[in-house]
Amino acid sequence: MTDLSVQIGRLALSNPIMVASGTFGYAREMARLVDCSRLGGILPKTITAQPRVGNAPWRTVETSAGLLNSIGLDNDGIDAFMEHHLPYLASIGTSIIVSIAGRTEEEFVQLAHRVGQTGQIAAVELNVSCPNVSGGVDFGTDPDACHRLVAATRAGCDVPILAKLTPNVTRIADVACAAAEGGADGVCLINTVLGMAVDWRRRRPMLGNVMGGLSGPAIKPVALRCVQQVRSVTDVPIIGIGGIATIDDVMEFLVTGATAVQIGTANYYDPQVSTRLIDELPAALQELGAATVGEIVGALDSTRRVDE
C-alpha cells in the first residue's frame, strides 16, 4: 500500500498534488470536471484587502512553450471572499490554502490573521512574487524584508505559513533561507518568470501592462534549478511549481527536493490533469521501490560528472 501523505512544516496533506493560485478559480468553476476533494490542496485566486480591477487587456498571451499573463491580481477583495467563496471552499473536504497579497507588511499580517482565525483553512500562502502589480515582488526580492514579513505574519496567525517566491532575483536561495529563518513552514518555488511578447507589425507590446509572467513548460528547467539551489542550502520544505503537466514532471520535482507540487498552467488546457497525476503517482513511486513520497524527496544525485 502506497502512502501519498506529505508533511510541510505544520501543514499535513493527503497527497502532494495541489492546484496553483490563479489557475483553478475558486474551485466552484471546476467542480463539474474535477473531484476536488481528492486534491492534496486547493489554492484559490490570490485575495487582497480591497477589490482590484486588475490590469488593462490584453491580459494573457500564449507563447510557443507557455503562457504570458498580466492579470494584476484582479479580485473582489477579502470581504467578498469571506462571504461568497470561503464557505464553499471549506465544504469541499480538502486542504484550502489561501493566497494573500498586501501592499504593506501590516496589510499582509491583517489578511493572514483574518483568514487564519476562521478555522476553515489549512494554511496561508504569502504571494510576495507577483510581477504584474506595482510592488508585487518587493518582499520577495529582499531577504531582510522577506524575513520580517514572514516573522510578523507568523506571529499574528496560527495557521501554517508558506512563502511563494519569485525567480526574478540574483540568488533565490538567499530569499528562501530568510523565509525559513522567519518561520515559514515551506517555500513555493516558483512564481512566473518576467517576460514579454511583441507585435512587431504594430510595433507594440501585446500585453496591456507591457510585461507579464511566463508560466508553463518553458519555465520548468528554471523551477527545477531553483528547487535544487534552495534544497542544497536549507531543509525548509519546498513546494515545486512550474510547467508541471505529467507524472514525469511531478517525479522530477520530488527527487530534486520538493515535498509537494502545484499544477498551474496545465489546468487551462487539461482540467483533470491533477486527479490523473494522483492516480499515476503510486506506480511511479513503486518504480523507485518507494512506499511513501518522503522516501524519494531530495533523492537526486547531483554529483558533477565529466563522463560515465
Side-chain angles (χ1 to χ4, degrees):
M1 183 69 177
T2 305
D3 180 6
L4 298 185
S5 64
V6 295
Q7 191 76 33
I8 302 167
R10 295 170 293 162
L11 174 63
L13 302 176
S14 60
N15 68 71
I17 308 297
M18 295 182 276
V19 287
S21 174
T23 68
F24 210 72
Y26 295 102
R28 195 191 308 266
E29 302 92 322
M30 309 295 281
R32 293 187 302 106
L33 301 170
V34 182
D35 181 356
C36 296
S37 68
R38 297 189 58 211
L39 300 173
I42 293 174
L43 288 94
K45 187 171 177 58
T46 297
I47 58 171
T48 54
Q50 301 298 324
R52 288 183 57 93
V53 297
N55 292 331
W58 288 358
R59 292 182 174 189
T60 59
V61 174
E62 187 174 356
T63 69
S64 56
L67 181 71
L68 273 170
N69 91 82
S70 181
I71 307 299
L73 298 184
D74 181 352
N75 77 104
D76 294 331
I78 188 171
D79 290 339
F81 175 80
M82 299 279 278
E83 181 178 355
H84 299 294
H85 300 299
L86 185 56
Y88 173 78
L89 288 163
S91 74
I92 291 174
T94 191
S95 298
I96 303 301
I97 301 162
V98 176
S99 174
I100 62 172
R103 294 169 297 182
T104 64
E105 180 181 305
E106 182 181 12
E107 203 166 81
F108 268 104
V109 172
Q110 291 173 348
L111 285 166
H113 176 73
R114 187 168 173 190
V115 296
Q117 68 179 357
T118 63
Q120 296 179 302
I121 70 168
V124 167
E125 181 185 75
L126 306 178
N127 185 351
V128 295
S129 51
C130 178
N132 302 318
V133 296
S134 177
V137 296
D138 289 353
F139 293 103
T141 55
D142 180 342
D144 291 337
C146 186
H147 179 280
R148 290 193 301 270
L149 175 65
V150 172
T153 306
R154 175 150 186 172
C157 178
D158 292 332
V159 302
I161 302 295
L162 308 174
K164 187 172 185 177
L165 304 183
T166 176
N168 304 308
V169 292
T170 303
R171 283 181 49 85
I172 194 170
D174 291 346
V175 186
C177 287
E181 292 165 4
D185 291 86
V187 292
C188 304
L189 310 175
I190 53 176
N191 208 327
T192 54
V193 177
L194 190 62
M196 68 180 294
V198 171
D199 181 339
W200 66 268
R201 290 182 175 86
R202 296 175 62 232
R203 291 172 290 179
R204 293 185 60 85
M206 295 180 72
L207 290 172
N209 200 46
V210 182
M211 296 185 186
L214 178 65
S215 61
I219 74 166
K220 191 181 82 167
V222 177
L224 286 169
R225 180 264 297 176
C226 290
V227 171
Q228 165 66 7
Q229 288 180 324
V230 170
R231 177 75 180 190
S232 67
V233 296
T234 176
D235 291 330
V236 65
I238 297 168
I239 298 171
I241 317 168
I244 300 170
T246 70
I247 192 61
D248 290 331
D249 298 331
V250 172
M251 296 299 286
E252 289 170 21
F253 274 89
L254 294 179
V255 300
T256 302
T259 299
V261 297
Q262 292 179 19
I263 314 302
T265 301
N267 290 315
Y268 293 127
Y269 61 85
D270 186 2
Q272 297 176 328
V273 60
S274 52
T275 50
R276 186 173 66 252
L277 293 175
I278 295 169
D279 291 336
E280 295 173 352
L281 185 55
L285 291 173
Q286 290 164 16
E287 188 175 336
L288 295 184
T292 68
V293 175
E295 291 176 50
I296 69 163
V297 171
L300 184 72
D301 178 3
S302 58
T303 305
R304 294 184 179 180
R305 302 173 178 78
V306 175
D307 202 357
E308 281 192 342

